[in-house]
Amino acid sequence: MADLQTLLVLYGAWLVFFNVLLEQAGLPIPAYPLLVVAGALAAQDQLSWPLILAGTVAASLIADSAWYVAGQRHGARLLSIICRVSLSQDSCIRQTQSRYLLVGPRLLLVAKFLPGAGALSTVMAGLTRAPYRTFVGYELAGTLIWGGSAVLLGAIFHPVVADILLAIDQYGQMGILFLGTLLALYIAYRMIQRWRVVKHLRTVPRLPVDELVSWEHAGRRPVLLDVRPQPDDPLPGAIAVDVHAPLDGLELGPYDTDIVVYCACPNEISAAMLATKLRAAGYANTWALLGGHDAWQAYREVPASPLASPATEQS
């Protein structure tokens, strides 16, 4: 820890800049504790707090602008890729989209305080085509709130920070081992919980997109339920449904009705969750669409596909 303090005193804003840049780029390297330590050193006149905040804002703007552009170009696919490393893949996309659609770019004011929400919220800003000027405004304000709070905490409690650093220096190995053990146990618990959910939902039958198309050509038209939080570009005739909404409000017809549920999440988890509830309620002919909305988009983009648009077929 003495080496960390020495590095901060020598390189100050540059160390903060690269730490924040790597964290905002998606690497599991927390920057908040370093900002608190930097704030404590600033209170002792060993660092310049304006330079600390300048490095924080510059790094965050660079990384988040890259996420914003990536969200514009790759959108939902990028959200899916990011959420695949989450311990709660089924709720990652749904919760992020729901939060962002509820408050819009204002979510960026607090996104950095929410675990895993920083990059996802920035991607959502690009995906929803929020004006870059608006994005930058909320991004700068959110970064100043996040980084400024850490620096302020360090400055106010700098004697306590010094004592904590001394204790970590003396008992660091034991403390790191203890925290590492707790983290490993937590991850193992969440992975086991996740495995049990996925195993249970595997019993829900999946319907490939090409088979759904063949049904429609044969005149067999199932009820399509879209459980995405942002139901843009839905399948023809699909009904937008909240995956947690009570089934009583759905008009699905008789119990032998064919029902296909789809989402935009890994392993069709959200769709399978609703399909499980429907099958338990008596709708035995219920499927989850294999690959979800992404699979349907990919299928209709193929020139030979019956779902391809005229412009695609001409090309």
Side-chain angles (χ1 to χ4, degrees):
M1 299 311 299
D3 291 340
L4 175 61
Q5 294 183 55
T6 301
L7 286 172
L8 271 171
V9 171
L10 290 176
Y11 301 106
W14 283 110
L15 187 59
V16 168
F17 172 84
F18 285 111
N19 192 176
V20 173
L21 182 66
L22 292 175
E23 185 199 35
Q24 297 305 308
L27 297 181
I29 305 175
Y32 203 85
L34 182 66
L35 288 169
V36 172
V37 174
L41 293 177
Q44 303 170 21
D45 294 326
Q46 300 184 59
L47 279 178
S48 169
W49 67 264
L51 286 179
I52 296 171
L53 290 180
T56 301
V57 169
S60 183
L61 186 59
I62 291 172
D64 287 346
S65 292
W67 283 119
Y68 173 86
V69 173
Q72 284 185 320
R73 296 182 177 180
H74 304 290
R77 293 181 183 179
L78 183 59
L79 281 178
S80 179
I81 292 172
I82 296 174
C83 283
R84 286 185 184 277
V85 301
S86 171
L87 293 177
S88 301
Q89 297 178 19
D90 51 315
S91 61
C92 178
I93 294 177
R94 187 173 65 251
Q95 289 182 357
T96 300
Q97 289 184 334
S98 298
R99 288 171 180 165
Y100 188 89
L101 294 175
L102 182 64
V103 299
R106 289 173 293 179
L107 181 61
L108 296 171
L109 294 174
V110 296
K112 288 180 172 56
F113 291 100
L114 306 175
L120 290 170
S121 300
T122 307
V123 171
M124 279 297 299
L127 175 61
T128 57
R129 305 294 178 180
Y132 185 70
R133 182 180 300 178
T134 302
F135 162 75
V136 169
Y138 284 111
E139 165 67 19
L140 292 177
T143 301
L144 286 173
I145 293 172
W146 173 73
S149 67
V151 173
L152 184 61
L153 281 174
I156 294 175
F157 298 104
H158 66 89
V160 178
V161 173
D163 292 340
I164 293 175
L165 292 177
L166 180 61
I168 293 176
D169 191 38
Q170 293 178 344
Y171 308 103
Q173 292 184 351
M174 184 181 300
I176 291 174
L177 179 61
F178 176 71
L179 293 176
T181 302
L182 288 180
L183 179 61
L185 290 174
Y186 172 74
I187 293 176
Y189 166 75
R190 292 297 301 272
M191 291 183 68
I192 292 173
Q193 187 181 46
R194 168 75 183 174
W195 173 78
R196 292 180 60 187
V197 170
V198 171
K199 182 179 179 181
H200 172 68
L201 294 179
R202 278 182 187 155
T203 59
V204 175
R206 266 53 170 185
L207 183 71
V209 174
D210 56 353
E211 189 169 349
L212 173 62
V213 173
S214 67
W215 282 10
E216 294 178 343
H217 288 169
R220 181 180 176 182
R221 301 195 177 278
V223 175
L224 299 175
L225 300 180
D226 186 341
V227 296
R228 296 173 301 152
Q230 185 186 23
D232 59 323
D233 190 22
L235 274 70
I239 304 170
V241 177
D242 184 347
V243 69
H244 297 298
L247 301 180
D248 298 340
L250 298 177
E251 298 180 1
L252 302 175
Y255 285 113
D256 60 352
T257 300
D258 292 326
I259 302 172
V260 178
V261 190
Y262 69 91
C263 61
C265 52
N267 302 313
E268 307 89 38
I269 295 295
S270 295
M273 288 172 60
L274 180 57
T276 299
K277 292 168 60 178
L278 289 169
R279 293 172 72 86
Y283 294 95
N285 299 334
T286 303
W287 292 263
L289 185 64
L290 183 63
H293 188 264
D294 291 343
W296 177 75
Q297 278 188 321
Y299 185 88
R300 68 173 184 171
E301 289 172 359
V302 177
S305 167
L307 286 178
S309 62
T312 304
E313 292 176 348
Q314 291 174 5
S315 60

